[in-house]
Short mmCIF file of all heavy atoms in Angstrom, two decimals:
data_model
loop_
_atom_site.label_atom_id
_atom_site.label_comp_id
_atom_site.label_asym_id
_atom_site.label_seq_id
_atom_site.Cartn_x
_atom_site.Cartn_y
_atom_site.Cartn_z
N VAL A 25 -26.85 -8.49 11.74
CA VAL A 25 -25.46 -8.67 11.38
C VAL A 25 -25.50 -9.26 9.94
O VAL A 25 -26.17 -10.28 9.66
CB VAL A 25 -24.76 -9.67 12.37
CG1 VAL A 25 -23.40 -10.00 11.83
CG2 VAL A 25 -24.79 -9.19 13.80
N LEU A 27 -22.79 -10.34 6.83
CA LEU A 27 -21.33 -10.59 6.58
C LEU A 27 -21.19 -11.36 5.32
O LEU A 27 -21.84 -12.41 5.07
CB LEU A 27 -20.74 -11.36 7.75
CG LEU A 27 -19.21 -11.62 7.73
CD1 LEU A 27 -18.52 -10.32 7.59
CD2 LEU A 27 -18.82 -12.36 9.01
N LEU A 32 -16.98 -14.65 6.28
CA LEU A 32 -17.56 -15.54 7.24
C LEU A 32 -16.70 -16.88 7.31
O LEU A 32 -16.57 -17.39 8.38
CB LEU A 32 -19.01 -15.82 6.90
CG LEU A 32 -19.66 -16.86 7.87
CD1 LEU A 32 -19.61 -16.46 9.28
CD2 LEU A 32 -21.14 -17.04 7.37
N TRP A 43 -15.69 -12.01 19.79
CA TRP A 43 -16.76 -12.31 18.85
C TRP A 43 -17.88 -11.36 19.12
O TRP A 43 -18.49 -10.82 18.11
CB TRP A 43 -17.25 -13.77 19.07
CG TRP A 43 -16.67 -14.71 18.10
CD1 TRP A 43 -15.98 -15.81 18.33
CD2 TRP A 43 -16.83 -14.68 16.64
NE1 TRP A 43 -15.57 -16.42 17.17
CE2 TRP A 43 -16.17 -15.75 16.15
CE3 TRP A 43 -17.55 -13.89 15.75
CZ2 TRP A 43 -16.09 -16.12 14.75
CZ3 TRP A 43 -17.51 -14.18 14.41
CH2 TRP A 43 -16.77 -15.24 13.85
N LEU A 47 -19.24 -8.71 16.23
CA LEU A 47 -20.61 -8.79 15.69
C LEU A 47 -21.39 -7.52 15.96
O LEU A 47 -22.14 -7.03 15.10
CB LEU A 47 -21.28 -9.97 16.37
CG LEU A 47 -20.74 -11.37 15.95
CD1 LEU A 47 -21.32 -12.39 16.81
CD2 LEU A 47 -21.02 -11.64 14.51
N THR A 144 -24.54 -13.59 4.59
CA THR A 144 -25.38 -14.21 5.62
C THR A 144 -25.83 -13.23 6.55
O THR A 144 -25.06 -12.32 6.99
CB THR A 144 -24.43 -15.24 6.37
OG1 THR A 144 -24.01 -16.35 5.40
CG2 THR A 144 -25.16 -15.96 7.49
N ALA A 146 -28.00 -12.42 10.26
CA ALA A 146 -28.44 -13.03 11.47
C ALA A 146 -28.89 -11.87 12.40
O ALA A 146 -28.38 -10.81 12.29
CB ALA A 146 -27.29 -13.84 12.17
N VAL A 151 -27.17 -14.20 18.27
CA VAL A 151 -25.74 -14.74 18.27
C VAL A 151 -25.16 -14.30 19.60
O VAL A 151 -24.35 -15.10 20.17
CB VAL A 151 -24.97 -14.13 17.12
CG1 VAL A 151 -23.66 -14.93 16.90
CG2 VAL A 151 -25.79 -14.19 15.82
N LEU A 154 -25.18 -16.61 22.86
CA LEU A 154 -24.35 -17.84 22.87
C LEU A 154 -23.18 -17.76 23.76
O LEU A 154 -22.57 -16.61 23.76
CB LEU A 154 -23.96 -18.19 21.39
CG LEU A 154 -25.12 -18.35 20.38
CD1 LEU A 154 -24.61 -18.78 19.06
CD2 LEU A 154 -26.18 -19.43 20.91
N THR A 159 -19.36 -22.14 19.67
CA THR A 159 -20.80 -22.19 19.34
C THR A 159 -21.23 -21.02 18.40
O THR A 159 -22.07 -21.25 17.55
CB THR A 159 -21.67 -22.24 20.63
OG1 THR A 159 -21.23 -23.38 21.44
CG2 THR A 159 -23.10 -22.32 20.35
N ILE A 160 -20.70 -19.90 18.62
CA ILE A 160 -20.91 -18.69 17.85
C ILE A 160 -20.49 -19.06 16.35
O ILE A 160 -21.27 -18.76 15.42
CB ILE A 160 -20.25 -17.44 18.23
CG1 ILE A 160 -20.82 -16.95 19.57
CG2 ILE A 160 -20.30 -16.31 17.23
CD1 ILE A 160 -20.19 -15.83 20.31
N LYS A 161 -19.35 -19.55 16.18
CA LYS A 161 -18.85 -19.84 14.79
C LYS A 161 -19.70 -21.00 14.20
O LYS A 161 -20.08 -20.86 12.98
CB LYS A 161 -17.40 -20.27 14.85
CG LYS A 161 -16.80 -20.37 13.48
CD LYS A 161 -16.85 -18.98 12.75
CE LYS A 161 -16.33 -19.06 11.29
NZ LYS A 161 -14.98 -19.16 11.11
N ILE A 162 -20.09 -21.99 14.91
CA ILE A 162 -20.86 -23.01 14.33
C ILE A 162 -22.24 -22.51 13.98
O ILE A 162 -22.89 -22.82 12.96
CB ILE A 162 -21.02 -24.27 15.37
CG1 ILE A 162 -19.61 -24.94 15.43
CG2 ILE A 162 -22.04 -25.24 14.86
CD1 ILE A 162 -19.59 -26.05 16.54
N TYR A 163 -22.82 -21.66 14.82
CA TYR A 163 -24.09 -20.98 14.49
C TYR A 163 -23.95 -20.28 13.18
O TYR A 163 -24.88 -20.43 12.36
CB TYR A 163 -24.51 -19.99 15.67
CG TYR A 163 -25.77 -19.25 15.31
CD1 TYR A 163 -26.92 -19.67 15.90
CD2 TYR A 163 -25.71 -18.08 14.57
CE1 TYR A 163 -28.12 -18.92 15.63
CE2 TYR A 163 -26.88 -17.28 14.36
CZ TYR A 163 -28.10 -17.78 14.87
OH TYR A 163 -29.15 -17.03 14.65
N LEU A 164 -22.95 -19.46 12.98
CA LEU A 164 -22.78 -18.76 11.70
C LEU A 164 -22.59 -19.65 10.53
O LEU A 164 -22.97 -19.39 9.39
CB LEU A 164 -21.65 -17.75 11.90
CG LEU A 164 -21.92 -16.63 12.87
CD1 LEU A 164 -20.70 -15.75 13.14
CD2 LEU A 164 -23.10 -15.74 12.40
N ILE A 165 -21.82 -20.72 10.79
CA ILE A 165 -21.60 -21.74 9.66
C ILE A 165 -22.90 -22.32 9.14
O ILE A 165 -23.10 -22.45 7.99
CB ILE A 165 -20.67 -22.85 10.20
CG1 ILE A 165 -19.20 -22.33 10.34
CG2 ILE A 165 -20.61 -23.99 9.20
CD1 ILE A 165 -18.27 -23.36 11.00
N LEU A 166 -23.71 -22.63 10.15
CA LEU A 166 -25.05 -23.26 9.77
C LEU A 166 -26.01 -22.15 9.20
O LEU A 166 -26.71 -22.47 8.28
CB LEU A 166 -25.67 -23.83 11.03
CG LEU A 166 -24.94 -25.02 11.61
CD1 LEU A 166 -25.59 -25.49 12.93
CD2 LEU A 166 -24.85 -26.21 10.67
N LYS A 167 -25.89 -20.96 9.74
CA LYS A 167 -26.80 -19.88 9.26
C LYS A 167 -26.54 -19.54 7.76
O LYS A 167 -27.51 -19.16 7.01
CB LYS A 167 -26.48 -18.61 10.10
CG LYS A 167 -27.51 -17.54 9.88
CD LYS A 167 -28.92 -17.75 10.61
CE LYS A 167 -29.74 -16.64 10.52
NZ LYS A 167 -31.05 -16.94 11.20
N GLN A 168 -25.28 -19.88 7.28
CA GLN A 168 -24.97 -19.53 5.95
C GLN A 168 -25.81 -20.42 5.00
O GLN A 168 -26.08 -20.05 3.84
CB GLN A 168 -23.51 -19.85 5.81
CG GLN A 168 -22.94 -19.45 4.41
CD GLN A 168 -21.43 -19.58 4.36
OE1 GLN A 168 -20.80 -19.93 5.44
NE2 GLN A 168 -20.82 -19.60 3.26
N PHE A 169 -26.24 -21.59 5.48
CA PHE A 169 -26.98 -22.54 4.58
C PHE A 169 -28.41 -22.72 5.11
O PHE A 169 -29.03 -23.81 4.93
CB PHE A 169 -26.23 -23.89 4.56
CG PHE A 169 -24.98 -23.82 3.77
CD1 PHE A 169 -23.85 -23.29 4.33
CD2 PHE A 169 -24.95 -24.08 2.38
CE1 PHE A 169 -22.60 -23.25 3.60
CE2 PHE A 169 -23.78 -23.94 1.65
CZ PHE A 169 -22.57 -23.53 2.25
N ARG A 175 -26.07 -28.82 5.34
CA ARG A 175 -24.73 -28.51 4.86
C ARG A 175 -23.80 -29.76 5.25
O ARG A 175 -23.86 -30.28 6.24
CB ARG A 175 -24.17 -27.30 5.66
CG ARG A 175 -22.82 -27.00 5.20
CD ARG A 175 -22.15 -25.67 5.75
NE ARG A 175 -20.93 -25.41 5.14
CZ ARG A 175 -20.14 -24.33 5.40
NH1 ARG A 175 -20.61 -23.48 6.25
NH2 ARG A 175 -19.07 -24.20 4.80
N MET A 216 -31.18 -22.07 14.91
CA MET A 216 -30.28 -22.98 14.25
C MET A 216 -30.14 -24.33 14.89
O MET A 216 -29.00 -24.95 14.88
CB MET A 216 -28.85 -22.32 14.15
CG MET A 216 -28.77 -21.20 13.21
SD MET A 216 -28.95 -21.75 11.41
CE MET A 216 -30.62 -21.21 11.07
#
Side-chain angles (χ1 to χ4, degrees):
V25 175
L27 186 57
L32 174 58
W43 262 116
L47 293 169
T144 296
V151 197
L154 302 176
T159 301
I160 289 174
K161 190 60 189 283
I162 290 173
Y163 176 95
L164 293 172
I165 290 172
L166 297 176
K167 192 73 173 178
Q168 189 176 350
F169 289 82
R175 178 175 188 177
M216 287 293 104

